Amino acid sequence: MINAHKTQYRDLITKLGKSSWIGICCGFWYEFSLGGGLDRYGFDIPKREAIFFDEGKQALSTSTWAQNGQAVANLLNLKIQREDESDKSPCLADWKDKFVYVASFVVSQRDMFDSLLRVTGTESKDWTVTHEESRKRYQDGLAQFQKGDFGGMARAMYTRNFWPDGLGNHAVTRGLDNEKLGLPKEDLDEATKEGVRMATDGTLAHYG
């Protein structure tokens, strides 16, 4: 929805052959999306409301801001080419005209909700939980966006990645480069704490 138009520029770079590109695929930002309201990961943390898309069991790949920054730093710290045939270490050339795939977690809305309960010290009965059919939610979001409501764009974009076809789970469909880049394993609850902070201290107030 957002990045499709960039394909023409990547294709042109490849066709000209004078330079190359590397893309970073990280999924949605975890703490930003968790704390960003119902139109993103389906949670309004201050109001203790949750909307599960379908049954909330479809997993996707998602990354923290810290993991994204570490991925870029580690990638750019690699040598451009291998020194010789015996050199098996990763280098930038491995991803020439390709995407780097990274993620912090592969989680469903149910996993996120369980983490929220642990972090906030609440129980499911303390939350208002509803369900929406993901395809209808996606279509409704598109209709809103076409009327000029940018909240509809977020609703459609996020919901599409929770469809049962697994579109949003690049850890499964593409595989991850975390190990090649030496990325750390992260703690879900620690990342959830950051999402809760963002949701409650005004950090995300200017993001719509």
Side-chain angles (χ1 to χ4, degrees), residues 3-206:
N3 294 319
H5 72 283
K6 296 182 180 179
T7 301
Q8 60 182 316
Y9 304 118
R10 293 195 294 265
D11 289 346
L12 180 59
I13 291 170
T14 302
K15 180 180 178 180
L16 292 175
K18 300 297 183 180
S19 60
S20 55
W21 59 268
I22 296 176
I24 302 288
C25 179
C26 61
F28 294 120
W29 296 326
Y30 179 72
E31 59 273 78
F32 172 87
S33 302
L34 183 71
L38 297 174
D39 285 336
R40 294 186 180 130
Y41 277 170
F43 300 98
D44 187 323
I45 295 172
K47 294 182 179 179
R48 293 185 181 174
E49 295 179 5
I51 300 175
F52 287 144
F53 314 149
D54 301 321
E55 294 303 313
K57 296 180 179 180
Q58 178 61 50
L60 51 59
S61 303
T62 183
S63 300
T64 64
W65 282 351
Q67 190 79 306
N68 277 283
Q70 192 67 61
V72 173
N74 289 9
L75 178 69
L76 296 180
N77 197 44
L78 296 175
K79 65 189 86 172
I80 297 176
Q81 299 281 353
R82 290 186 176 84
E83 296 177 0
D84 52 47
E85 292 182 358
S86 65
D87 185 358
K88 305 300 182 183
S89 59
C91 63
L92 278 174
D94 292 340
W95 290 281
K96 179 181 179 181
D97 295 334
K98 297 177 183 177
F99 279 93
V100 176
Y101 292 92
V102 299
S104 297
F105 316 110
V106 177
V107 287
S108 68
Q109 286 183 290
R110 295 275 185 175
D111 297 324
M112 299 177 202
F113 188 50
D114 288 344
S115 182
L116 277 169
L117 297 183
R118 292 191 297 268
V119 166
T120 59
T122 58
E123 300 178 17
S124 57
K125 64 181 177 62
D126 300 319
W127 292 66
T128 300
V129 179
T130 57
H131 296 254
E132 288 188 16
E133 197 276 317
S134 61
R135 293 181 183 272
K136 182 179 185 303
R137 181 180 171 87
Y138 170 76
Q139 294 297 336
D140 289 346
L142 284 183
Q144 284 182 287
F145 181 43
Q146 289 166 356
K147 295 177 181 178
D149 182 350
F150 279 84
M153 181 191 72
R155 180 176 296 188
M157 181 174 63
Y158 275 88
T159 304
R160 178 63 184 90
N161 281 268
F162 283 101
W163 279 16
D165 61 3
L167 175 73
N169 195 357
H170 60 267
V172 171
T173 60
R174 300 286 187 171
L176 296 179
D177 294 310
N178 287 36
E179 186 174 345
K180 293 178 181 177
L181 294 176
L183 297 181
K185 292 185 179 180
E186 296 174 281
D187 184 274
L188 178 62
D189 285 0
E190 287 301 314
T192 296
K193 287 179 184 178
E194 181 65 5
V196 171
R197 182 192 69 78
M198 288 183 174
T200 56
D201 71 357
T203 298
L204 301 178
H206 301 294

